[in-house]
Structure formats: C-alpha cells, structure tokens
C-alpha cells in the first residue's frame, strides 16, 4: 500500500504507510503470494511512459527486499485511459483473472485489497474476495482501517 499520489511516476514520490511492510510480512508468513494490479491511465494520457511505471515497480521490489520480504510475484498493468474502453482497466476483473490462470491461484483464499471501490469490485468480478482499506465511502465490501488491520484479521481468522 503506497500513498495515492495521483499519477505516481517518479521513485522519489513513493511513500509507504507506516504499517505497510509489517502487514506484508504477516501476509507472507501466512503463505500468501503478493501481486500488484494497477490502473495507469497516465501512460495512455501521455503523462509518463510505461518504462516509468516499470522503474517504479523495480523500486517497489527493491524496497520489499530491503525489508526482508519476498518480492511481488507479478505485476498487472492497465495503461489505457477510460476512453479507450479496454477490457483490462479496473473495475474489470480481467487483469486478476489472467494472474489466476497464470499462477493457478485459489479463488476462495485470494483477496484484492485496495483503497478504491473499483479495486474491491475488480476482485469480485474475478471471483475472489474484495477488501477495502483506508477509504471513506460506504460500500458492501469488508472494510479495514489499515492494511495491517486486515492482515491481523486474516491471521486470527485463517
Ligand atoms: Zn486496459
């Protein structure tokens, strides 16, 4: 979970919530694989290149390794704008579905966690559990104040 910076495009702009690494440790201790599923319409809008997104993702991997975590298993990126009407942009479940097929992921024990309703919806649309953290709008999805709260919940309700 990184702070939402509206078109994060430079590694200097990466800023984690204080409990993020601890939460990721808990997930990995429980045996979960971690993936990133991200809408990057800034690419389609020409604000930055896909290569800039890859640079950010490489930095995320380095940050995880520095925190003694396994790196993310994979990244799924939608570089399109809403106007392009692609099939991958969240809330579509397509990016998640492709990861599910590629890595033979168990649906029942998988969670799409995000701070926007479209994140939880994309999980739901792919047949996995949608979870919301750190957002304020009411929805039908389970909600946790922080990623660590969710990790602790999973640990006590395996
Ligand atoms: Zn797309």
């Amino acid at each position: 979970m990184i702070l939402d910076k509206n078109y994060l495009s430079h590694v200097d702009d990466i800023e984690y919530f204080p409990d993020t690494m601890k939460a990721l440790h808990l997930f990995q201790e429980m045996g979960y694989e971690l993936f990133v599923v991200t809408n990057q319409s800034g690419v389609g809008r020409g604000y930055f290149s896909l290569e800039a997104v890859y640079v950010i993702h490489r930095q995320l991997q380095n940050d995880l390794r520095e925190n003694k975590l396994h790196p993310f298993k994979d990244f799924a990126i939608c570089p399109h704008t809403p106007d392009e009407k692609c099939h991958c942009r969240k809330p579509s479940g397509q990016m998640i579905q492709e990861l599910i097929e590629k890595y033979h992921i168990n649906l029942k024990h998988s969670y799409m966690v995000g701070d926007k309703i479209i994140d939880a919806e994309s999980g739901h649309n792919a047949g996995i559990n949608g979870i919301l953290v750190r957002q304020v709008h009411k929805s039908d999805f389970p909600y946790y104040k922080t990623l660590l709260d969710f990790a602790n919940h999973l640990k006590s309700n395996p």
Side-chain angles (χ1 to χ4, degrees):
M1 255 336 262
I2 44 184
L3 290 169
D4 194 345
K5 293 280 179 108
N6 281 330
Y7 305 116
L8 172 70
S9 62
H10 195 277
V11 289
D12 290 347
D13 295 332
I14 300 176
E15 197 178 331
Y16 298 93
F17 288 105
D19 58 8
T20 297
M21 294 300 169
K22 195 171 178 202
L24 298 185
H25 267 288
L26 271 180
F27 291 131
Q28 292 194 343
E29 268 174 38
M30 290 185 273
Y32 289 97
E33 303 270 20
L34 304 176
F35 296 85
V36 173
V37 178
T38 181
N39 284 351
Q40 294 291 342
S41 67
V43 175
R45 294 174 211 271
Y47 295 169
F48 47 83
S49 65
L50 197 52
E51 181 55 37
V53 177
Y54 296 146
V55 168
I56 297 271
H57 290 174
R58 280 199 289 276
Q59 184 63 48
L60 296 181
Q61 298 293 55
N62 288 340
D63 292 343
L64 262 59
R65 286 192 195 94
E66 268 182 21
N67 282 277
K68 311 238 180 301
L69 287 154
H70 301 295
F72 289 107
K73 185 94 172 167
D74 207 347
F75 294 79
I77 306 164
C78 166
H80 308 111
T81 67
D83 293 345
E84 291 177 78
K85 308 229 182 296
C86 68
H87 296 291
C88 41
R89 185 176 165 81
K90 295 181 288 185
S92 157
Q94 180 173 301
M95 289 193 284
I96 296 172
Q97 267 162 356
E98 286 173 3
L99 292 172
I100 287 168
E101 282 161 32
K102 185 171 175 188
Y103 295 99
H104 309 290
I105 290 167
N106 178 305
L107 299 181
K108 189 165 171 279
H109 294 110
S110 297
Y111 301 85
M112 174 62 185
V113 186
D115 63 351
K116 297 190 176 68
I117 289 173
I118 58 162
D119 297 319
E121 283 172 347
S122 70
H124 177 78
N125 290 334
I128 68 172
N129 304 284
I131 302 289
L132 281 169
V133 290
R134 295 190 188 279
Q135 68 93 46
V136 290
H137 304 290
K138 282 247 186 299
S139 79
D140 292 333
F141 292 103
Y143 167 71
Y144 298 86
K145 265 196 193 145
T146 68
L147 191 61
L148 185 56
D149 284 351
F150 172 57
N152 282 321
H153 168 83
L154 266 190
K155 198 168 182 188
S156 47
N157 302 273

